[in-house]
Amino acid sequence: MQPPRERLVVTGRAGWMGMGRGAGPSALGFWPTFAFLLCSFPAAISSCKILKCNSEFWSATAGSHAPAPDDAPEFCAALRTYALCTRRTARTCRGDLAYHSAVHGIEDLMSQHNCSKDGPTSQPHLRTLPPPPGDSQERSDSPEICHYEKSFHNRAAAPNYTHCGLFGDPHLRTFTDRFQTCKVQGAWPLIDNNYLNVQVTNTPVLPGSAATATSKLTIIFKNFQECVDQKVYQAEMDELPAAFADGSKNGGDKHGANSLKITEKVSGQHVEIQAKYIGTTIVVRQVGGYLTFAVRMPEEVVNAVEDRDSQGLYLCLRGCPLNQQIDFQAFRAGAESPGAHGLPAASPAPSAPDTFPYETAVAKCKEKLPVEDLYYQACVFDLLTTGDVNFTLAAYYALEDVKMLHSNKDKLHLYERTREPPGRAAAAGLPPAPWPLLGSLLLLPLLPVLLEAT
């Protein structure tokens, strides 16, 4: 038998199930999951609430609520409720892939179960699981493989932890402590390894502005041995849930389910997810109208990928591609020049109509960030590009998360940031041209599912 750590590295990814027209109730759990995965791809209209519709339907039909053959009336009622929800959000979802997938999926399921379009609807049943006994974070009989740090007791070296964060307009701190300011509009992968996928969607702060911020976040925890079922966490502007998409707050019904837990720290503003089976902590915040992300993860998990080449689509590891980075040094030099107000004319990011003068931006940022490090500089940059004072708090909380999550206290403050030189970008293997095709590349693994569903 393999040692726990070796088994952790080589175990496979979560599997996929297709659902054709002949699928029975056992396949019903797949379709909502598929819809949620599609939500992680570009969605231009943040007011589309298809995520909420998907979540309510999944909660009503998952786990103990999964319909049996003699539960057709109950399942049809849930489908009609789902269809009603999609109709209510149809106007704002016309270009959303997840919305169109939901509509077609509803029609397919209604046909399979001979459901009429007219009839009673039902309220979703949120699936809740009882808390573990006492104050223990895991069940007393939870297998050792479901606690990453405990499995190291027979090894000489403790795990080495790394940190990645994304905040503001947006600023990226990679697992290797590179600090970049990027454009990255649309959907981008932050993390993609054998155990975890994290996708963010960045949208313009103002129409026509190059300033973007994170408006949507999708985190997929993959099915892992006897520890956790696959879980999806979705957050977007003005919706920071305190539960996974199926309504649960832990890893499901498996033996070590409490090795994955979600905790609400501040209602609607701050959520923390502990994935102890992979030694990972994730912090998601809503600051103003936008989201921030921070993670603490062991290097062993960071690098656990089956295809090493796929790490090119992994921002937390490789950083932003060269053509998406903003030359911050040139921006700062122009902004600090005598008599400069707002952004310099040659700035890579045009200013919003009501941005702050440079002196005012500096004063506001120093109130929350007295150390003139890169978080302070990011704060100044964001006030100049957006005019939104909430970005001051975004930088402040991003630094607070670093203090909590980073294992090397000597690297809390960073002071040098540059746009990656072409030589270094090439050495790192960053693909310069294919990035605009990212959405298409990310959809490729889903093609077999789409073909089987049709």
Side-chain angles (χ1 to χ4, degrees):
M1 178 179 292
Q2 296 171 308
R5 283 301 94 213
E6 293 178 1
R7 282 185 281 141
L8 175 65
V9 173
V10 301
T11 46
R13 297 171 177 263
W16 287 96
M17 283 181 57
M19 187 180 75
R21 293 189 175 274
S26 63
L28 294 174
F30 166 75
W31 189 87
T33 306
F34 178 54
F36 274 109
L37 293 179
L38 290 178
C39 293
S40 65
F41 298 107
I45 307 173
S46 61
S47 57
C48 175
K49 300 301 180 185
I50 191 60
L51 300 184
K52 183 174 181 291
C53 299
N54 291 345
S55 179
E56 289 178 351
F57 176 69
W58 196 4
S59 297
T61 57
S64 60
H65 299 290
D70 57 350
D71 290 336
E74 179 182 347
F75 184 68
C76 289
L79 275 175
R80 282 190 287 268
T81 302
Y82 193 9
L84 178 62
C85 186
T86 59
R87 286 197 295 271
R88 286 172 177 168
T89 194
R91 186 177 59 85
T92 57
C93 292
R94 291 174 183 170
D96 193 291
L97 178 59
Y99 165 77
H100 292 289
S101 297
V103 170
H104 290 300
I106 292 168
E107 293 175 354
D108 187 43
L109 289 175
M110 292 187 80
S111 175
Q112 288 180 34
H113 292 266
N114 297 318
C115 300
S116 63
K117 294 185 178 180
D118 298 322
T121 58
S122 63
Q123 294 299 318
H125 303 283
L126 289 180
R127 180 177 178 226
T128 57
L129 294 162
D135 295 327
S136 174
Q137 291 297 308
E138 286 80 39
R139 298 171 183 168
S140 58
D141 59 348
S142 178
E144 184 179 274
I145 189 66
C146 299
H147 196 299
Y148 185 84
E149 292 181 352
K150 286 183 179 178
S151 67
F152 268 85
H153 63 82
N154 290 326
R155 296 177 58 168
N160 184 32
Y161 290 94
T162 58
H163 163 75
C164 176
L166 186 77
F167 69 97
D169 176 22
H171 308 281
L172 174 71
R173 179 169 180 160
T174 71
F175 284 130
T176 54
D177 291 312
R178 284 184 289 161
F179 198 105
Q180 299 170 347
T181 297
C182 309
K183 304 171 187 176
V184 289
Q185 182 174 335
W188 294 79
L190 279 182
I191 297 173
D192 181 13
N193 59 40
N194 291 354
Y195 314 104
L196 183 69
N197 289 108
V198 181
Q199 301 273 346
V200 294
T201 299
N202 301 312
T203 54
V205 175
L206 293 169
S209 172
T212 62
T214 300
S215 59
K216 184 183 294 184
L217 175 71
T218 301
I219 306 173
I220 303 170
F221 296 91
K222 301 178 183 180
N223 177 65
F224 179 66
Q225 294 192 6
E226 63 264 49
C227 303
V228 300
D229 298 318
Q230 178 168 293
K231 291 289 176 175
V232 178
Y233 180 77
Q234 292 271 358
E236 56 184 316
M237 295 168 65
D238 301 320
E239 288 188 29
L240 188 66
F244 295 109
D246 62 357
S248 68
K249 294 192 175 184
N250 73 355
D253 298 321
K254 290 190 175 181
H255 202 41
N258 285 304
S259 61
L260 175 62
K261 298 190 69 168
I262 183 168
T263 305
E264 185 176 59
K265 298 293 187 178
V266 180
S267 179
Q269 298 180 34
H270 180 189
V271 166
E272 183 174 306
I273 304 175
Q274 291 278 352
K276 292 200 170 185
Y277 66 102
I278 51 173
T280 295
T281 300
I282 294 175
V283 176
V284 182
R285 299 179 187 266
Q286 173 158 315
V287 184
Y290 298 97
L291 304 174
T292 71
F293 171 86
V295 63
R296 180 180 188 257
M297 182 179 290
E299 280 188 351
E300 181 181 29
V301 178
V302 168
N303 295 307
V305 293
E306 293 175 358
D307 181 3
R308 307 293 293 188
D309 293 336
S310 69
Q311 289 185 336
L313 306 179
Y314 186 163
L315 296 189
C316 274
L317 188 64
R318 292 295 186 93
C320 299
L322 182 61
N323 63 359
Q324 293 292 321
Q325 295 178 34
I326 292 175
D327 190 339
F328 187 83
Q329 286 186 329
F331 158 80
R332 182 178 179 182
E336 291 178 338
S337 62
H341 296 280
L343 291 178
S347 168
S351 63
D354 299 317
T355 53
F356 294 96
Y358 180 75
E359 295 79 6
T360 304
V362 165
K364 287 186 176 295
C365 291
K366 281 190 175 179
E367 290 176 6
K368 300 294 290 183
L369 299 156
V371 178
E372 294 189 17
D373 62 358
L374 290 178
Y375 291 89
Y376 159 82
Q377 294 179 29
C379 172
V380 173
F381 178 89
D382 289 351
L383 293 189
L384 294 177
T385 56
T386 69
D388 186 346
V389 73
N390 286 309
F391 283 96
T392 302
L393 289 175
Y396 169 77
Y397 284 122
L399 182 57
E400 291 299 299
D401 290 338
V402 171
K403 292 176 181 178
M404 178 180 69
L405 299 174
H406 206 294
S407 59
N408 188 341
K409 302 308 177 185
D410 294 332
K411 291 186 177 181
L412 299 184
H413 299 284
L414 299 176
Y415 295 93
E416 294 183 5
R417 168 172 52 181
T418 60
R419 190 167 183 259
E420 290 292 341
R424 182 171 178 179
L430 293 174
W435 281 88
L437 301 176
L438 179 61
S440 299
L441 291 174
L442 290 172
L443 282 171
L444 286 177
L446 302 179
L447 286 178
V449 179
L450 289 169
L451 293 173
E452 186 172 353
T454 56

